[in-house]
């Protein structure tokens, strides 16, 4: 196994520049530094709780807008504390800091390459908004609701109630599928299969009425039933929108349960699949 070790040599000139850049470190400054970090840590936790509480109190149409402000407040808190810490421990001036900018950037690039890549991707994502808090997204094999947006990564809650942390730098290599893009509604698509000789008009009517009469359906958005022929069955798709994307799976269950009740009542024939060849 080969291990590459990067050594950064600092010549006397650079050493003098560093000594001018770093101010006097005293017990008082160290205490203030720890206090700032403590305030930042608990401040972002308190802000998150306030934002989440407020999001549940405002009218439904504003819920995601309130939640989507959380990354801004986190970035603001950490950015402010970062500036205060630099002012506390460094003698910041154009003459002191500019000559060392390149050296520090190279050193940090090697030491925190993956972390820096995730942070940069997270900052870009704030402007390009491929996902926001409250969006239902799929990245790779992971699907769920974005519940947290940090500087390095997002956390999504899956349908199985697992919390998955995904670094922002996945944006460089993975496609992002966003089901609702900042909206409360996310289209739900449910598939049904029947024999080729099924009463098509009856299936269309049942699926449309099941969606139209569901208490979860957003009636201001279209309800569609489409079909296509398969060699072994006729494939129907019911496309509609829940009022709140958080109800996606309860909504699917409600639609399927009620639709199957009517299918059974009308004796609509399901397809008979050929036996599997296990040889």
């Amino acid at each position: 196994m080969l291990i590459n070790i990067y050594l950064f040599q600092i010549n006397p000139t650079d050493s003098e520049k560093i000594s001018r850049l770093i101010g006097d470190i005293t017990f008082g400054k160290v205490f203030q530094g720890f206090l700032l970090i403590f305030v930042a840590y608990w401040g972002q936790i308190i802000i998150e709780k306030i934002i989440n509480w407020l999001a549940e109190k405002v009218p439904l149409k504003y819920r995601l807008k309130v939640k989507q402000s959380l990354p801004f407040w986190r970035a603001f808190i950490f950015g402010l504390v970062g500036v205060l810490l630099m002012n506390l421990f460094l003698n910041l001036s154009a003459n002191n800091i500019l000559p060392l900018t390149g050296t520090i950037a190279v050193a940090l690039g090697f030491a925190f390459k993956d972390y820096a890549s995730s942070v940069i991707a997270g900052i870009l994502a704030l402007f390009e908004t491929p996902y926001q808090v409250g969006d239902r997204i799929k990245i790779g094999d992971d699907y769920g609701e974005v519940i947290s947006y940090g500087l390095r990564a997002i956390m999504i809650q899956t349908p199985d109630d697992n919390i998955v942390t995904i670094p922002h730098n996945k944006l460089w290599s993975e496609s992002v599928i966003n089901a609702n893009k900042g909206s409360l509604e996310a289209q739900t698509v449910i598939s049904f299969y029947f024999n080729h000789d099924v009463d098509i008009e009856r299936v269309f009517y049942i699926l449309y009425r099941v969606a139209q009469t569901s208490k979860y359906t957003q009636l201001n958005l279209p309800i569609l039933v489409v079909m296509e022929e398969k060699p072994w069955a006729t494939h129907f798709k019911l496309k509609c929108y829940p009022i709140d994307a958080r109800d996606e799976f309860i909504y699917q269950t409600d639609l399927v349960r009620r639709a199957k009740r009517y299918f059974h009542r009308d004796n609509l024939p399901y397809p008979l699949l050929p036996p599997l060849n296990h040889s």
Side-chain angles (χ1 to χ4, degrees):
M1 179 183 295
L2 296 178
I3 300 176
N4 294 324
I5 301 176
Y6 297 94
L7 299 176
F8 297 95
Q9 297 181 348
I10 301 177
N11 59 41
T13 304
D14 289 337
S15 178
E16 293 174 4
K17 293 175 181 177
I18 292 174
S19 64
R20 290 199 305 268
L21 180 63
I22 299 175
D24 296 331
I25 298 178
T26 63
F27 175 79
K29 287 185 177 183
V30 172
F31 177 78
Q32 291 179 54
F34 277 112
L35 184 62
L36 284 172
I37 295 172
F38 178 83
V39 170
Y41 175 78
W42 285 103
Q44 63 95 18
I45 291 177
I46 293 171
I47 287 290
E48 181 175 358
K49 290 185 178 297
I50 292 174
I51 292 294
N52 289 332
W53 174 84
L54 186 61
E56 300 301 328
K57 298 299 180 182
V58 299
L60 185 61
K61 63 180 180 179
Y62 298 120
R63 179 174 64 84
L64 291 186
K65 296 297 182 184
V66 173
K67 280 196 169 187
Q68 288 160 5
S69 68
L70 186 57
F72 166 79
W73 291 112
R74 278 182 171 168
F76 175 78
I77 290 173
F78 287 121
L80 178 62
V81 170
V83 171
L84 292 175
L85 287 173
M86 287 191 295
N87 282 330
L88 187 64
F89 291 105
L90 302 178
N91 296 319
L92 296 179
S93 68
N95 291 333
N96 288 341
I97 199 169
L98 289 179
L100 290 178
T101 300
T103 303
I104 294 174
V106 172
L108 291 177
F110 280 111
F112 302 104
K113 181 178 65 175
D114 292 336
Y115 189 90
S117 175
S118 292
V119 171
I120 292 171
I123 295 172
L124 292 176
L126 282 174
F127 297 96
E128 296 183 359
T129 62
Y131 42 67
Q132 304 173 76
V133 175
D135 285 354
R136 307 188 74 83
I137 66 170
K138 182 176 182 181
I139 301 178
D141 295 328
D142 297 310
Y143 173 77
E145 178 184 354
V146 180
I147 60 173
S148 177
Y149 190 118
L151 288 178
R152 186 191 69 85
I154 58 171
M155 288 193 293
I156 66 172
Q157 187 172 23
T158 69
D160 297 326
D161 208 27
N162 295 321
I163 305 299
V164 180
T165 301
I166 303 176
H168 292 299
N169 62 4
K170 286 286 186 180
L171 287 173
W172 309 138
S173 58
E174 300 277 354
S175 59
V176 178
I177 301 173
N178 194 320
N180 57 321
K181 190 63 175 174
S183 301
L184 283 173
E185 306 88 2
Q187 187 182 74
T188 294
V189 181
I190 307 175
S191 293
F192 299 90
Y193 298 89
F194 295 95
N195 277 352
H196 290 298
D197 59 353
V198 72
D199 185 345
I200 292 174
E201 297 304 323
R202 186 62 185 164
V203 175
F204 265 74
Y205 176 78
I206 290 174
L207 292 179
Y208 186 86
R209 287 293 294 164
V210 162
Q212 189 181 46
T213 56
S214 174
K215 65 180 180 180
Y216 299 104
T217 300
Q218 174 56 269
L219 295 175
N220 293 328
L221 295 172
I223 299 171
L224 296 175
V225 180
V226 297
M227 59 175 286
E228 62 176 328
E229 286 294 290
K230 301 287 187 181
W232 49 273
T234 300
H235 180 197
F236 295 84
K237 289 183 181 180
L238 173 59
K239 300 182 177 184
C240 44
Y241 295 80
I243 295 173
D244 191 333
R246 291 188 297 184
D247 297 328
E248 175 185 3
F249 299 105
I250 299 175
Y251 184 42
Q252 289 181 2
T253 301
D254 178 66
L255 294 174
V256 172
R257 179 179 60 85
R258 293 167 60 239
K260 287 179 72 70
R261 186 169 70 229
Y262 291 114
F263 296 154
H264 177 73
R265 183 196 66 183
D266 294 352
N267 294 316
L268 296 178
Y270 291 107
L272 296 176
L273 298 180
L276 296 175
N277 185 359
H278 296 288
S279 60

